[in-house]
Amino acid sequence: MAYKRQIDRLPIIPADAKKHNVTCHYCIVGCGYNAYTWPVNKQGGTDPATNAFGVNLAEQQPAETEAWYAPSMYNIVRQDGKDVHLVIKPDKDCVVNSGLGSVRGARMAENRRSDKTGTQQQRLTEPMVWRYGTWQPTSWNDALDLVARVTARVIDKDDEDDLFVSMFDHGGSAGGYENTWGTGKLYFGSMKVKNCRIHNRPAYNSEVHSTRDMGVDELNYAYEDYTMTDTIMLVGTNPLECQTNLFLNHMVPGMRNGAKVIIVDPRRTVTANACEVEAGAENVLHLAIKTGTDLALFNTLFTYIADQGWVDKDFIAASTLQGDVAVAQDEAHPAALGSFEMARIKCKMSLAEGASITGLAEADIVKAAEWIAKPKEDGSRRKCATGYEKGIIWGNDNYRVIGALVNIGLATGNIGREGGGVCRLGGHQEGYFRPSDAHVGRPAPYVDQLIIGGRGKVHHIWANDHYKTTLNATEFKREYNRRTNMVKDAMDAHAGSTREELVDAIVGAINAGGLFSVNVDIIHSQIGQAAHVILPAVESGEMNLTSMNGERRLRLVEKYMDGPGNAKPDCLIAAAIAQNLERVLREDGREAYADQFKGYDWKTEEDAFMDGYHSGNPEVTYDRLRAMGNNGVQEPVVGFENGQLVGTKRLYTDGKFTRHGREDGKALFCGGEWRGLQAPGKAYQRDNYAFLINNGRANVIWQNWFLDKANDFVSDRFPIPYIEINPEDMAELGVKAGDLVEVFNDVGATQALVYPTPTARRKETFMVFGAPNGAQGNIVNAGTNELILPNYKHTWANIRKISDAPASAADLSFKSMEYSAG
Amino acid sequence: MDRCDKLVDVGRRQFLRGGALAAAATATVVALPATPAKATALARIDYPSSRLGNVSDLKLNEPLDVTYPDDSAPGVLLKLGTRVEGGAGPDGDIVGFSTICPHKGFPLNYVAADRTLNCPGHYSRFDCEAGGQQIWGQATQNLPQYTLRVDDKGDIYAEGVDELLYGRLSNVLA
């Protein structure tokens, strides 16, 4: 049965409701919303004077009205200890989304925990400790004391390698400047933890090392550049689903203004379909390359464009390095970096060779080159705005392929100018402020492999669920379960003992190969099933939170509700861990080491913000951000004038680039030649398993379903994640729409529901990543690039039927996801 | 004491799980009248029973434009030819849906080839054979579907809607 809420009316926002600035805490776009709250026993009315819109609500409102909100935008929550109505609806005045809300952001209210309406009861309210064979709720003091005592037993001054940390590095619901600072100050300030990893990758590194090394930070344009460009180039990204209102509110207007679109993706996505609808099929070039051959394509384009002379010679001379190699290829640099001429030599690839490797027609490669770089009829430079994402970030040869794409942007003078930019589109909101991570080294330690290999004694996890999202997850989960169970067994064997005895028993189990796991999260996650201590955190909106979107737009989300129970902001949890470590170390007589854990006297998240982000950006305070509303300010902030923060619309408009340690301000080109499938084990899988298992996001689900698994609208649509398969492949496998299949290879197995997809190529499938009921990471092998960037995209497996469609799938629609005009 | 009785009634009502606070039928917050009012405050909308047409008006897979529960709420009736979720009539294949997209209120277009309603605004699509389930799209609802009743004369009545219609905070406007 299709999920229906049976809601026939909603309380009306009264004219005197409180109104709060809210940036959506899900994807990178960061649409602007407003949260309205008012006491539960009050209500507005249809009379214009009595509602927040000043409109007669006894009448039907028109399309795109501000005077309506969906049931998903409504809830009843606690605010300062009292029940209030809550409506979170899109802000028409926010330039990012202009009043649009995606299927994710428009469910923010429904996805809050409410003890009145019953939503999101899975949200954690109390700290928990493994005790008496299961998890028992306890006080913060008790839980933090155990964490500090065990942790203090495995670390000492300049000897912290046995403490492993997994922590988010982003903004939004689980992150933000307050929280990256809180955790960063603890692990990179008070300590120098090397064995740390990030939520989506098994090491502490950048997703985009090459573009940064070249001097081009990865968010260098403004969203409005899509509206004023000649060509939009989308590489390994599906923005209609994954950065929805960037696509709808900026790219579509660009197409309506005449922009052509190039899409580089082995798969036809709904984005491709929508571009054809908006721009006309003749203005859309879908380069459906052979998977993983993007580097060959970009080197071919670069060669062709340079050979034609369609480059910005003045820009190259003024803004890029002259000469030869500036940074040699080495362990920390998978390709040499240097001058345009150096790159032309290293990256040289003929049309014929490029066509052969990519499977494209030479004519299509030429067409792409023309759309990117051929001067216009009046001789002026053609503008091109390029967005890329996980198709190449988690794809083949991360460093070289991103470098090759940026090469094209630099050569054509398309960075730092209107209608230009070469940017990653992003996943989460961003919001990173931490002390230096230089101590980690590059390449960084491959934390997953270390854990599997028995290293590490205590693991602190912040808002990460590796069980759903990491690569090589089958092996990781098996080892993680085994090692953490050793500690659980030791704790159970010492039930009723003193704290000291318990800690001794835990350390004994650790020394025998076990692992003590501390999990900070908002739900009891899958990796949290292995935790010994669980600490409940709050989300954006349940705390004030600052973050930055994909065009560096910094906003403050104003706290509009209490967090569940006794949950706290991550930054205050980090501070409490620091304070408990300081106490325990002093009790232990380790005074000098204890001194390293001072400086966390924060009462609120604003204190953490002032200690961190504000210290590096003195003009920025909460009051000033509040005044900037949902349009915020684009970073970097360069001043404060007439009561407004002054920001930076585009980077590099002066033609001077960032050089991360170098001072000449010249951008570098990347000299990375094509070398086939780079990561270990990928070619073996390709040659031994029948189906490509491409994978990524789906529009309706946010991230690893951490809230959506308890949202009926979403879990009704997809009780089990789907796998898109060509119908002819389905016939060969003997499966029908909705059947449950097992997807298996040399490293593991997972499951999915069959979704017939006529546009899928033969033997090429697509699965949803990060699903609790079918983790695609189970079958991704451990192969990474030299800098420990995972290659999730290149996975091959076989498929077999498990059963006919389960009951939960019986009434689902399996029709095409592509819009049809009829 | 009638006024007190009404307030006590309001206090007794249960919140629907995941649902809205049950509102008084009077739409403003002014005081209740001192004399007993004829209209009682109901917990849920009192939907009209509206005759939308007759089975003989319907051709297989061709939408019939209707409005429900009033003239500013457009929708369609469809005879699909197979028994489906929410289907009325002797063959269980007559369905009715709102045709205002629950995302931003754009009008939906019916595509007979796959029995879907599609939105040109932001590409959302809804499956008429699966209770209006959003196959893919930006709405945070599946498509509001009419509760239909077919009487022995073949007259088709709509008597309810299962989601909040776009553009109104009450499915029956005051």
Side-chain angles (χ1 to χ4, degrees), chain A residues 357-513:
Chain A
I357 293 168
T358 60
L360 299 172
E362 287 188 32
D364 280 344
I365 301 178
V366 169
K367 193 177 197 178
E370 289 174 348
W371 288 13
I372 293 167
K374 184 173 180 178
K376 305 207 284 198
E377 278 172 15
D378 63 2
S380 63
R381 190 180 63 81
R382 187 171 295 269
K383 299 188 208 137
C384 179
T386 300
Y388 63 92
E389 239 324 291
K390 295 296 196 291
I392 58 174
I393 292 174
W394 291 160
N396 179 37
D397 217 346
N398 167 292
Y399 193 91
R400 291 187 174 196
V401 68
I402 292 171
L405 184 60
V406 176
N407 280 350
I408 298 170
L410 284 173
T412 55
N414 260 315
I415 303 183
R417 277 134 173 213
E418 270 189 18
V422 179
C423 299
R424 64 170 297 205
L425 291 194
H428 277 107
Q429 288 282 288
E430 303 291 353
Y432 186 96
F433 194 84
R434 284 186 169 145
S436 166
D437 57 44
H439 63 280
V440 171
R442 181 170 146 178
Y446 188 164
V447 169
D448 279 25
Q449 290 296 98
L450 294 173
I451 289 175
I452 289 167
R455 298 275 305 283
K457 297 189 170 175
V458 172
H459 189 194
H460 292 183
I461 304 172
W462 297 77
N464 287 193
D465 193 348
H466 305 323
Y467 278 32
K468 288 185 286 194
T469 56
T470 200
L471 68 170
N472 192 29
T474 302
E475 188 182 19
F476 181 88
K477 285 185 270 201
R478 196 170 60 235
E479 274 307 297
Y480 204 85
N481 281 340
R482 188 186 66 75
R483 294 185 63 196
T484 52
N485 281 337
M486 290 169 69
V487 175
K488 283 180 178 171
D489 289 347
M491 293 170 85
D492 289 342
H494 287 82
S497 65
T498 64
R499 176 56 40 102
E500 288 74 22
E501 288 165 350
L502 180 68
V503 172
D504 282 343
I506 291 169
V507 173
I510 288 170
N511 288 338

Side-chain angles (χ1 to χ4, degrees), chain A residues 603-621:
Chain A
K603 299 273 184 308
T604 66
E605 60 271 26
E606 187 171 6
D607 292 339
F609 178 83
M610 296 302 283
D611 189 56
Y613 188 85
H614 171 79
S615 70
N617 299 274
E619 281 107 358
V620 186
T621 64

Side-chain angles (χ1 to χ4, degrees), chain A residues 2-6 8 10 43 60-61 64 68 72 99 101 103 117 241 278 699 813 815-816 818 820, chain B residues 18 45 85 103-104 114 118 123 125 127 129 131 133 137-138 140 142-143 162-163 166-169 171:
Chain A
Y3 175 70
K4 297 291 173 74
R5 292 182 186 76
Q6 300 291 357
D8 56 8
L10 289 173
Q43 58 184 321
Q60 171 72 24
Q61 303 302 310
E64 298 182 302
W68 183 77
S72 63
V103 68
T117 61
E241 297 201 70
E278 289 297 335
N699 179 57
S813 178
K815 294 184 182 171
S816 167
E818 290 192 10
S820 170
Chain B
I45 292 283
E85 188 179 325
H103 175 227
K104 280 297 183 192
D114 65 0
N118 290 249
Y123 326 114
R125 7 199 287 117
D127 188 350
E129 296 181 297
Q133 185 169 62
Q138 303 308 327
T140 56
N142 295 314
L143 194 59
D162 58 9
E163 273 280 1
Y166 180 87
R168 51 178 70 191
L169 291 172
N171 274 348

Side-chain angles (χ1 to χ4, degrees), chain B residues 74-99:
Chain B
V76 289
L77 284 182
L78 289 160
K79 179 169 174 59
L80 294 174
T82 51
R83 193 168 291 274
V84 294
E85 188 179 325
D91 303 320
D93 69 340
I94 297 173
V95 292
F97 293 100
S98 165
T99 50

